[in-house]
Amino acid sequence: MKDREVRFIGANDLQLEKLGLKSEDELIGKTDFDLFTPEHAQPAYDDDQSIIETGKPIIGKIEKETMHDGQIRYVSTTKVPLRDTHNQIIGSMGMSRLVTELIEAQDQLEREGRLLKTIIDYALAGIFVKDRKGCYLIVNQRHVRFLGASSIDTVIGKTLFDFFDLTEAEKINTNDMAIME
């Protein structure tokens, strides 16, 4: 919880532990600038100011927290206005959930996806992936040329029957379906 000047006025034990503090007394009166690098502190401050001014909450914002010791972690943060008994906004309060492992896993998947796309795009052979109905999901440029198509976009979602006569398409399709089985 923070006051209108965006100074901490309270936190639970989990938050204190996350910040490396032993007691709430070590936190009271500090700001995000005392705990984080400006890279995280400034956007957090701006968010708190917006909540205090507008009363609009921020739900599930993914934030990169950079600590003064260089440690980086990611959190999903929800912040709402803190109100007094007269419904006046007196600050903000929030909850953060650590999502570093999720973000790192997503980044790894993205890197692997880019690597796979590069391998497919530059392979010396035609490469394709089809669904069970024979519709193209992925193709590389060599396979596009094999089909006589103009671009990858003109192939995705189509079948062999869109590029070959019925006899030739059935022959190739029969072989493809046998491989899938």
Side-chain angles (χ1 to χ4, degrees):
M1 294 178 286
K2 297 175 186 171
D3 62 18
R4 289 187 68 83
E5 285 73 43
V6 196
R7 296 177 302 221
F8 284 95
I9 57 174
N12 67 11
D13 290 340
L14 214 55
Q15 179 69 4
L16 294 172
E17 181 183 323
K18 182 179 114 174
L19 295 171
L21 304 174
K22 292 182 175 57
S23 74
E24 202 173 53
D25 292 338
E26 294 179 76
L27 179 66
I28 303 298
K30 290 187 176 178
T31 70
D32 286 314
F33 291 97
D34 297 314
L35 303 168
F36 303 101
T37 63
E39 176 186 24
H40 171 69
Q42 187 64 55
Y45 175 85
D46 294 342
D47 286 347
D48 288 323
Q49 287 297 315
S50 175
I51 291 166
I52 291 166
E53 289 172 19
T54 68
K56 293 181 182 174
I58 295 173
I59 311 292
K61 180 181 180 181
I62 302 298
E63 297 181 297
K64 179 182 177 182
E65 293 183 337
T66 308
M67 308 303 282
H68 288 298
D69 66 2
Q71 181 185 8
I72 295 173
R73 58 184 169 222
Y74 293 88
V75 294
S76 173
T77 300
T78 295
K79 294 180 179 181
V80 298
L82 180 61
R83 297 179 185 270
D84 65 13
T85 56
H86 302 291
N87 206 30
Q88 297 299 307
I89 297 173
I90 59 170
S92 66
M93 62 184 215
M95 175 183 72
S96 294
R97 197 168 28 147
L98 197 60
V99 293
T100 303
E101 289 180 9
L102 174 65
I103 297 299
E104 289 172 350
Q106 288 173 332
D107 289 348
Q108 180 67 24
L109 282 173
E110 189 177 307
R111 284 190 300 276
E112 289 174 1
R114 284 193 308 268
L115 176 60
L116 181 58
K117 182 174 179 353
T118 300
I119 291 168
I120 289 170
D121 288 347
Y122 293 97
L124 297 177
I127 296 177
F128 63 88
V129 176
K130 294 180 185 179
D131 65 16
R132 293 205 133 314
K133 295 177 183 173
C135 294
Y136 286 102
L137 302 173
I138 298 171
V139 293
N140 69 355
Q141 198 57 48
R142 282 198 183 257
H143 195 70
V144 168
R145 284 195 297 273
F146 167 74
L147 295 172
S150 59
S151 70
I152 290 172
D153 291 338
T154 62
V155 175
I156 302 302
K158 304 258 175 81
T159 70
L160 287 166
F161 296 92
D162 295 302
F163 301 100
F164 295 106
D165 66 52
L166 184 62
T167 304
E168 184 67 17
E170 284 179 345
K171 178 180 163 189
I172 299 170
N173 192 55
T174 299
N175 186 45
D176 287 352
M177 291 300 146
I179 291 170
M180 279 193 235
E181 287 299 319

